[in-house]
Amino acid sequence: MTANTYECLRLEIADGVGRIVFDMPEAANALTGQGVRELLDALNACEADEGVGAVVLTGAGRAFCAGFNLREIPPLEDGIASVSAHFRELAMWWHLVLHKIVHIPKPVMAAVNGAAAGSGLGMALCADLVVCSENARFLCAWHTIGLANDATTSYSLAKIVGFRRAQEMMITNRTLDAREALEWGIANRVYPEDAFAATADAIARDLAAAPTHLQAMAKESFHQGWRRSIEEATEYEIRNVMASVEHPYFHDALRRFVEDGGKSSKVQVRLP
């Protein structure tokens, strides 16, 4: 087991899973600028570690992540230029994090244990799977503090929930509870609070044990395919097929399938 020491989060690596825990519960895990930089570093560490097959994002305490930390905004009395510079730099780091979640060639699961607001919602939308406890809440929050929507919502929200629901969620600042998030397609599964942590850990281990290179191919093709023509999409698909044929995993899987008539083939990841 590996544990990296950060001030705003924890990175725990065990059983092939890189588990990133936002650890500022006194602020509902709203990350400071340092916290966002630490998050990018932790994601890069998971990407570089060949022993990590899956990444989990979750929060300490009763919240998942309430986005950015409002207490770091410079006083308006210091001038709008100071405030603007703060937001420009902070947005750059957050955008790097969100891009990394989408592009890292490993599955990323958001285990949402409480409120996911602002950039916390953005991380959940960018993740490949979202499982949540019955205490989870999802909200946009930007308009509440006078900000335009951010954190990939113009890319991800309507794609996941549909145009009308995305507009409703954003312009009314509606909060979705766990069951509504499941109905709207933001969450894959909802679990009782007392079973949530253990179930999420079991799913993460299954993800890590599955063929990461195939998961990465699916991830990239889904994010890019909706913007490609059918001709481009299928061309990328056959490229991935040919690459997977050359991978040792395919040779072993095909051999097992032929030898036992397909009896040993099974779904790799269980979502109870």
Side-chain angles (χ1 to χ4, degrees):
M1 178 175 178
T2 301
N4 291 56
T5 302
Y6 296 104
E7 291 188 16
C8 304
L9 54 85
R10 303 193 308 270
L11 170 59
E12 304 161 348
I13 298 177
D15 299 324
V17 178
R19 191 167 183 266
I20 300 173
V21 185
F22 312 126
D23 197 11
M24 300 183 71
E26 71 285 352
N29 297 321
L31 295 181
T32 59
Q34 178 175 333
V36 182
R37 292 189 291 273
E38 289 180 357
L39 175 53
L40 181 61
D41 186 81
L43 288 166
N44 284 331
C46 290
E47 181 176 20
D49 191 334
E50 294 183 358
V52 172
V55 179
V56 173
L57 304 174
T58 195
R62 300 181 62 82
F64 174 71
C65 176
F68 69 88
N69 198 303
L70 293 172
R71 295 186 181 278
E72 282 201 322
I73 300 174
L76 291 174
E77 292 77 9
D78 291 352
I80 193 62
S82 176
V83 176
S84 296
H86 171 78
F87 273 96
R88 189 178 302 279
E89 180 177 358
L90 185 62
M92 177 192 72
W93 286 108
W94 267 114
H95 292 171
L96 289 173
V97 163
L98 295 161
H99 298 171
K100 178 62 66 174
I101 292 171
V102 168
H103 292 302
I104 187 172
K106 300 177 181 184
V108 177
M109 182 177 78
V112 181
N113 54 304
S119 294
L121 170 65
M123 286 191 287
L125 294 172
C126 285
D128 303 302
L129 289 174
V130 175
V131 298
C132 61
S133 81
E134 57 196 359
N135 293 331
R137 299 292 183 270
F138 300 82
L139 65 155
C140 295
W142 288 281
H143 291 187
T144 300
I145 55 174
L147 290 176
N149 60 292
D150 192 20
T152 82
T153 47
S154 58
Y155 165 85
S156 58
L157 186 58
K159 186 166 62 172
I160 290 172
V161 306
F163 183 85
R164 291 299 182 198
R165 282 179 164 175
Q167 287 280 51
E168 176 183 347
M169 192 172 178
M170 186 65 66
I171 67 178
T172 69
N173 201 36
R174 175 173 175 172
T175 297
L176 301 184
D177 63 26
R179 293 294 169 184
E180 289 172 319
L182 180 65
E183 178 189 346
W184 284 33
I186 292 175
N188 295 90
R189 295 288 190 278
V190 177
Y191 301 107
E193 180 65 20
D194 58 358
F196 172 67
T199 304
D201 286 345
I203 295 169
R205 289 192 297 270
D206 279 354
L207 281 172
T212 301
H213 67 292
L214 298 181
Q215 296 167 328
M217 289 176 181
K219 178 173 182 172
E220 189 275 342
S221 66
F222 288 165
H223 276 288
Q224 297 297 329
W226 69 283
R227 294 183 292 175
R228 292 171 174 153
S229 67
I230 187 171
E231 291 80 11
E232 290 174 309
T234 51
E235 178 60 28
Y236 274 90
E237 287 173 0
I238 192 58
R239 291 184 192 180
N240 285 341
V241 168
M242 299 311 297
S244 67
V245 165
E246 297 172 3
H247 196 283
Y249 181 90
F250 170 74
H251 305 165
D252 294 338
L254 180 62
R255 187 178 301 110
R256 290 194 305 269
F257 187 90
V258 171
E259 288 175 353
D260 67 9
K263 294 179 182 178
S264 66
S265 63
K266 63 181 186 303
V267 174
Q268 296 284 346
V269 180
R270 297 162 294 162
L271 290 176

